[in-house]
Amino acid sequence: MQYDTINLSVRNQIAVLELNRPDLMNALNTQMRAEILHAVKDVQSNARALVFTGKGRAFCSGQDLGDATSAARIDMERTLRDEYVPMLMAIYECEIPTISAVNGPAAGAGANLALAADVVIATESAVFLQAFTRIGLIPDAGGTYFLPRQIGLAKAMGAALFAEPVTAQQASDWGMIWEAVPDDKFETVWKDRAAHLANGPSVAYKHVKKALRSSFENDLERQLILEAKLQGECGKTHDFREGVLAFLDKRAANYEGR
């Protein structure tokens, strides 16, 4: 598939998906959502880590309200159900680790697109904005799911009701994202993080994601049983054997993702 609204590159088993509508602060339109969905599904066969970032000064400004002739004519339910749900579920269920490298403002659906990744790394100058109530809407694109789980109900409620910008440092302090990084070190940090994941034990990473997410629905006994099952699968991998041998030999492990 030829992409017009995103750039996709794969190097050293790291896929970088760059939102590429910089003149509109990478606003999401129908075409971009379809391209993201295709790219996320396609890239998992030849990469071991996936990074989302934005071209230009913004990560993503959210829904492109110019995607219809007028805001009143946008079918919100259909757009969310048919376009956002498949895209966000593909990211959430991606079998390789995902990173959002938030290079600038992330607003509305753009903020929640960022939060759909496993790890969020933001430049200190970035802000996250649940802008929805400013135009008479509720947080969507997963905002009502991700925010209460990441920062608790009180902070999530305030972020949604007041629609005030949350700085990257605040987001880090609250637990919304993994880390806020000085602007001059941002690119180096997210690339190093992506390389760490791309060179790591891929099966273990996949099972970490499953185990942590399942813990919200499981009681302790069910979670312990799930841990045992997933750990048993990890224990049969090449990377587990390699990790043990590397530990005993006092050397760096050479993980192969299998």
PDB file of all heavy atoms in Angstrom, residues 61 105-112 127-132 134 159 162-166 176:
ATOM      1  N   SER A  61      -3.043  16.777  16.271  1.00  0.00           N
ATOM      2  CA  SER A  61      -4.022  17.723  16.808  1.00  0.00           C
ATOM      3  C   SER A  61      -5.413  17.127  16.938  1.00  0.00           C
ATOM      4  O   SER A  61      -6.352  17.828  17.320  1.00  0.00           O
ATOM      5  CB  SER A  61      -4.078  18.970  15.913  1.00  0.00           C
ATOM      6  OG  SER A  61      -4.447  18.623  14.587  1.00  0.00           O
ATOM      7  N   PRO A 105       2.582  19.003  20.617  1.00  0.00           N
ATOM      8  CA  PRO A 105       1.221  18.915  21.154  1.00  0.00           C
ATOM      9  C   PRO A 105       0.466  17.681  20.670  1.00  0.00           C
ATOM     10  O   PRO A 105       0.542  17.309  19.497  1.00  0.00           O
ATOM     11  CB  PRO A 105       0.565  20.203  20.633  1.00  0.00           C
ATOM     12  CG  PRO A 105       1.698  21.156  20.432  1.00  0.00           C
ATOM     13  CD  PRO A 105       2.852  20.317  19.987  1.00  0.00           C
ATOM     14  N   ALA A 106      -0.265  17.077  21.604  1.00  0.00           N
ATOM     15  CA  ALA A 106      -1.134  15.937  21.306  1.00  0.00           C
ATOM     16  C   ALA A 106      -2.493  16.283  21.879  1.00  0.00           C
ATOM     17  O   ALA A 106      -2.655  16.372  23.096  1.00  0.00           O
ATOM     18  CB  ALA A 106      -0.589  14.657  21.923  1.00  0.00           C
ATOM     19  N   ALA A 107      -3.469  16.509  21.021  1.00  0.00           N
ATOM     20  CA  ALA A 107      -4.765  17.032  21.466  1.00  0.00           C
ATOM     21  C   ALA A 107      -5.896  16.133  20.998  1.00  0.00           C
ATOM     22  O   ALA A 107      -5.815  15.508  19.936  1.00  0.00           O
ATOM     23  CB  ALA A 107      -4.978  18.448  20.940  1.00  0.00           C
ATOM     24  N   GLY A 108      -6.969  16.100  21.797  1.00  0.00           N
ATOM     25  CA  GLY A 108      -8.148  15.352  21.420  1.00  0.00           C
ATOM     26  C   GLY A 108      -7.823  13.905  21.116  1.00  0.00           C
ATOM     27  O   GLY A 108      -7.124  13.220  21.866  1.00  0.00           O
ATOM     28  N   ALA A 109      -8.324  13.421  19.982  1.00  0.00           N
ATOM     29  CA  ALA A 109      -8.048  12.048  19.580  1.00  0.00           C
ATOM     30  C   ALA A 109      -6.555  11.807  19.384  1.00  0.00           C
ATOM     31  O   ALA A 109      -6.084  10.673  19.506  1.00  0.00           O
ATOM     32  CB  ALA A 109      -8.805  11.718  18.296  1.00  0.00           C
ATOM     33  N   GLY A 110      -5.803  12.858  19.106  1.00  0.00           N
ATOM     34  CA  GLY A 110      -4.358  12.719  18.967  1.00  0.00           C
ATOM     35  C   GLY A 110      -3.683  12.374  20.281  1.00  0.00           C
ATOM     36  O   GLY A 110      -2.728  11.599  20.313  1.00  0.00           O
ATOM     37  N   ALA A 111      -4.191  12.955  21.387  1.00  0.00           N
ATOM     38  CA  ALA A 111      -3.656  12.609  22.700  1.00  0.00           C
ATOM     39  C   ALA A 111      -3.929  11.152  23.016  1.00  0.00           C
ATOM     40  O   ALA A 111      -3.069  10.430  23.536  1.00  0.00           O
ATOM     41  CB  ALA A 111      -4.265  13.513  23.770  1.00  0.00           C
ATOM     42  N   ASN A 112      -5.127  10.687  22.680  1.00  0.00           N
ATOM     43  CA  ASN A 112      -5.499   9.323  23.028  1.00  0.00           C
ATOM     44  C   ASN A 112      -4.896   8.305  22.072  1.00  0.00           C
ATOM     45  O   ASN A 112      -4.666   7.154  22.458  1.00  0.00           O
ATOM     46  CB  ASN A 112      -7.022   9.225  23.109  1.00  0.00           C
ATOM     47  CG  ASN A 112      -7.552  10.130  24.202  1.00  0.00           C
ATOM     48  OD1 ASN A 112      -6.875  10.373  25.199  1.00  0.00           O
ATOM     49  ND2 ASN A 112      -8.742  10.675  24.017  1.00  0.00           N
ATOM     50  N   VAL A 127       2.497  18.995  25.123  1.00  0.00           N
ATOM     51  CA  VAL A 127       1.349  19.038  26.031  1.00  0.00           C
ATOM     52  C   VAL A 127       0.315  18.027  25.550  1.00  0.00           C
ATOM     53  O   VAL A 127       0.253  17.687  24.360  1.00  0.00           O
ATOM     54  CB  VAL A 127       0.698  20.439  26.111  1.00  0.00           C
ATOM     55  CG1 VAL A 127       1.650  21.441  26.717  1.00  0.00           C
ATOM     56  CG2 VAL A 127       0.219  20.898  24.741  1.00  0.00           C
ATOM     57  N   PHE A 128      -0.483  17.548  26.501  1.00  0.00           N
ATOM     58  CA  PHE A 128      -1.585  16.640  26.213  1.00  0.00           C
ATOM     59  C   PHE A 128      -2.876  17.370  26.564  1.00  0.00           C
ATOM     60  O   PHE A 128      -2.995  17.939  27.652  1.00  0.00           O
ATOM     61  CB  PHE A 128      -1.456  15.361  27.032  1.00  0.00           C
ATOM     62  CG  PHE A 128      -0.224  14.557  26.704  1.00  0.00           C
ATOM     63  CD1 PHE A 128       1.003  14.872  27.280  1.00  0.00           C
ATOM     64  CD2 PHE A 128      -0.294  13.500  25.816  1.00  0.00           C
ATOM     65  CE1 PHE A 128       2.142  14.150  26.977  1.00  0.00           C
ATOM     66  CE2 PHE A 128       0.845  12.760  25.506  1.00  0.00           C
ATOM     67  CZ  PHE A 128       2.061  13.088  26.085  1.00  0.00           C
ATOM     68  N   LEU A 129      -3.828  17.335  25.656  1.00  0.00           N
ATOM     69  CA  LEU A 129      -5.041  18.125  25.852  1.00  0.00           C
ATOM     70  C   LEU A 129      -6.268  17.303  25.488  1.00  0.00           C
ATOM     71  O   LEU A 129      -6.435  16.896  24.334  1.00  0.00           O
ATOM     72  CB  LEU A 129      -4.992  19.383  24.980  1.00  0.00           C
ATOM     73  CG  LEU A 129      -6.221  20.296  25.000  1.00  0.00           C
ATOM     74  CD1 LEU A 129      -6.466  20.849  26.393  1.00  0.00           C
ATOM     75  CD2 LEU A 129      -6.053  21.429  23.982  1.00  0.00           C
ATOM     76  N   GLN A 130      -7.122  17.037  26.483  1.00  0.00           N
ATOM     77  CA  GLN A 130      -8.420  16.418  26.227  1.00  0.00           C
ATOM     78  C   GLN A 130      -9.393  17.552  25.866  1.00  0.00           C
ATOM     79  O   GLN A 130     -10.163  18.020  26.688  1.00  0.00           O
ATOM     80  CB  GLN A 130      -8.884  15.656  27.469  1.00  0.00           C
ATOM     81  CG  GLN A 130      -7.995  14.504  27.862  1.00  0.00           C
ATOM     82  CD  GLN A 130      -8.000  13.382  26.832  1.00  0.00           C
ATOM     83  OE1 GLN A 130      -9.029  13.055  26.247  1.00  0.00           O
ATOM     84  NE2 GLN A 130      -6.840  12.770  26.612  1.00  0.00           N
ATOM     85  N   ALA A 131      -9.344  17.948  24.620  1.00  0.00           N
ATOM     86  CA  ALA A 131     -10.003  19.181  24.190  1.00  0.00           C
ATOM     87  C   ALA A 131     -11.499  19.037  23.941  1.00  0.00           C
ATOM     88  O   ALA A 131     -12.168  20.024  23.603  1.00  0.00           O
ATOM     89  CB  ALA A 131      -9.330  19.684  22.907  1.00  0.00           C
ATOM     90  N   PHE A 132     -12.046  17.884  24.125  1.00  0.00           N
ATOM     91  CA  PHE A 132     -13.381  17.558  23.625  1.00  0.00           C
ATOM     92  C   PHE A 132     -14.489  18.466  24.149  1.00  0.00           C
ATOM     93  O   PHE A 132     -15.356  18.901  23.389  1.00  0.00           O
ATOM     94  CB  PHE A 132     -13.705  16.091  23.957  1.00  0.00           C
ATOM     95  CG  PHE A 132     -12.719  15.126  23.389  1.00  0.00           C
ATOM     96  CD1 PHE A 132     -11.606  14.724  24.124  1.00  0.00           C
ATOM     97  CD2 PHE A 132     -12.890  14.610  22.115  1.00  0.00           C
ATOM     98  CE1 PHE A 132     -10.687  13.836  23.598  1.00  0.00           C
ATOM     99  CE2 PHE A 132     -11.972  13.718  21.578  1.00  0.00           C
ATOM    100  CZ  PHE A 132     -10.870  13.330  22.316  1.00  0.00           C
ATOM    101  N   ARG A 134     -14.471  21.391  24.909  1.00  0.00           N
ATOM    102  CA  ARG A 134     -14.405  22.728  24.330  1.00  0.00           C
ATOM    103  C   ARG A 134     -15.356  22.872  23.139  1.00  0.00           C
ATOM    104  O   ARG A 134     -15.732  23.992  22.782  1.00  0.00           O
ATOM    105  CB  ARG A 134     -12.974  23.059  23.897  1.00  0.00           C
ATOM    106  CG  ARG A 134     -11.993  23.184  25.047  1.00  0.00           C
ATOM    107  CD  ARG A 134     -10.636  23.651  24.554  1.00  0.00           C
ATOM    108  NE  ARG A 134      -9.688  23.834  25.646  1.00  0.00           N
ATOM    109  CZ  ARG A 134      -8.477  24.370  25.502  1.00  0.00           C
ATOM    110  NH1 ARG A 134      -8.078  24.786  24.297  1.00  0.00           N
ATOM    111  NH2 ARG A 134      -7.667  24.510  26.539  1.00  0.00           N
ATOM    112  N   ALA A 159      -9.143  16.414  33.869  1.00  0.00           N
ATOM    113  CA  ALA A 159      -8.593  16.601  32.526  1.00  0.00           C
ATOM    114  C   ALA A 159      -9.712  16.659  31.488  1.00  0.00           C
ATOM    115  O   ALA A 159      -9.652  17.443  30.533  1.00  0.00           O
ATOM    116  CB  ALA A 159      -7.619  15.474  32.197  1.00  0.00           C
ATOM    117  N   PHE A 162     -12.306  20.054  32.482  1.00  0.00           N
ATOM    118  CA  PHE A 162     -11.719  21.381  32.309  1.00  0.00           C
ATOM    119  C   PHE A 162     -11.039  21.566  30.955  1.00  0.00           C
ATOM    120  O   PHE A 162     -10.859  22.704  30.513  1.00  0.00           O
ATOM    121  CB  PHE A 162     -10.732  21.675  33.438  1.00  0.00           C
ATOM    122  CG  PHE A 162     -11.379  21.805  34.789  1.00  0.00           C
ATOM    123  CD1 PHE A 162     -11.016  20.969  35.827  1.00  0.00           C
ATOM    124  CD2 PHE A 162     -12.366  22.742  35.023  1.00  0.00           C
ATOM    125  CE1 PHE A 162     -11.611  21.067  37.084  1.00  0.00           C
ATOM    126  CE2 PHE A 162     -12.972  22.859  36.260  1.00  0.00           C
ATOM    127  CZ  PHE A 162     -12.598  22.013  37.292  1.00  0.00           C
ATOM    128  N   ALA A 163     -10.646  20.474  30.326  1.00  0.00           N
ATOM    129  CA  ALA A 163      -9.993  20.542  29.016  1.00  0.00           C
ATOM    130  C   ALA A 163      -8.801  21.488  29.036  1.00  0.00           C
ATOM    131  O   ALA A 163      -8.614  22.297  28.120  1.00  0.00           O
ATOM    132  CB  ALA A 163     -10.999  20.947  27.933  1.00  0.00           C
ATOM    133  N   GLU A 164      -8.013  21.386  30.109  1.00  0.00           N
ATOM    134  CA  GLU A 164      -6.812  22.211  30.231  1.00  0.00           C
ATOM    135  C   GLU A 164      -5.582  21.416  29.782  1.00  0.00           C
ATOM    136  O   GLU A 164      -5.525  20.198  29.967  1.00  0.00           O
ATOM    137  CB  GLU A 164      -6.629  22.654  31.685  1.00  0.00           C
ATOM    138  CG  GLU A 164      -7.720  23.578  32.183  1.00  0.00           C
ATOM    139  CD  GLU A 164      -7.533  23.945  33.657  1.00  0.00           C
ATOM    140  OE1 GLU A 164      -6.617  23.396  34.301  1.00  0.00           O
ATOM    141  OE2 GLU A 164      -8.324  24.776  34.151  1.00  0.00           O
ATOM    142  N   PRO A 165      -4.596  22.094  29.209  1.00  0.00           N
ATOM    143  CA  PRO A 165      -3.384  21.393  28.786  1.00  0.00           C
ATOM    144  C   PRO A 165      -2.665  20.745  29.973  1.00  0.00           C
ATOM    145  O   PRO A 165      -2.559  21.349  31.046  1.00  0.00           O
ATOM    146  CB  PRO A 165      -2.527  22.494  28.163  1.00  0.00           C
ATOM    147  CG  PRO A 165      -3.483  23.596  27.831  1.00  0.00           C
ATOM    148  CD  PRO A 165      -4.556  23.533  28.869  1.00  0.00           C
ATOM    149  N   VAL A 166      -2.201  19.545  29.767  1.00  0.00           N
ATOM    150  CA  VAL A 166      -1.364  18.838  30.737  1.00  0.00           C
ATOM    151  C   VAL A 166       0.042  18.796  30.160  1.00  0.00           C
ATOM    152  O   VAL A 166       0.255  18.266  29.064  1.00  0.00           O
ATOM    153  CB  VAL A 166      -1.882  17.412  30.986  1.00  0.00           C
ATOM    154  CG1 VAL A 166      -0.953  16.650  31.925  1.00  0.00           C
ATOM    155  CG2 VAL A 166      -3.301  17.440  31.550  1.00  0.00           C
ATOM    156  N   MET A 176       0.637   9.243  33.492  1.00  0.00           N
ATOM    157  CA  MET A 176      -0.013   9.158  32.185  1.00  0.00           C
ATOM    158  C   MET A 176       0.948   8.636  31.134  1.00  0.00           C
ATOM    159  O   MET A 176       0.548   7.918  30.200  1.00  0.00           O
ATOM    160  CB  MET A 176      -0.542  10.542  31.784  1.00  0.00           C
ATOM    161  CG  MET A 176      -1.323  10.555  30.478  1.00  0.00           C
ATOM    162  SD  MET A 176      -1.732  12.231  29.913  1.00  0.00           S
ATOM    163  CE  MET A 176      -2.754  12.832  31.257  1.00  0.00           C
TER     164      MET A 176
END
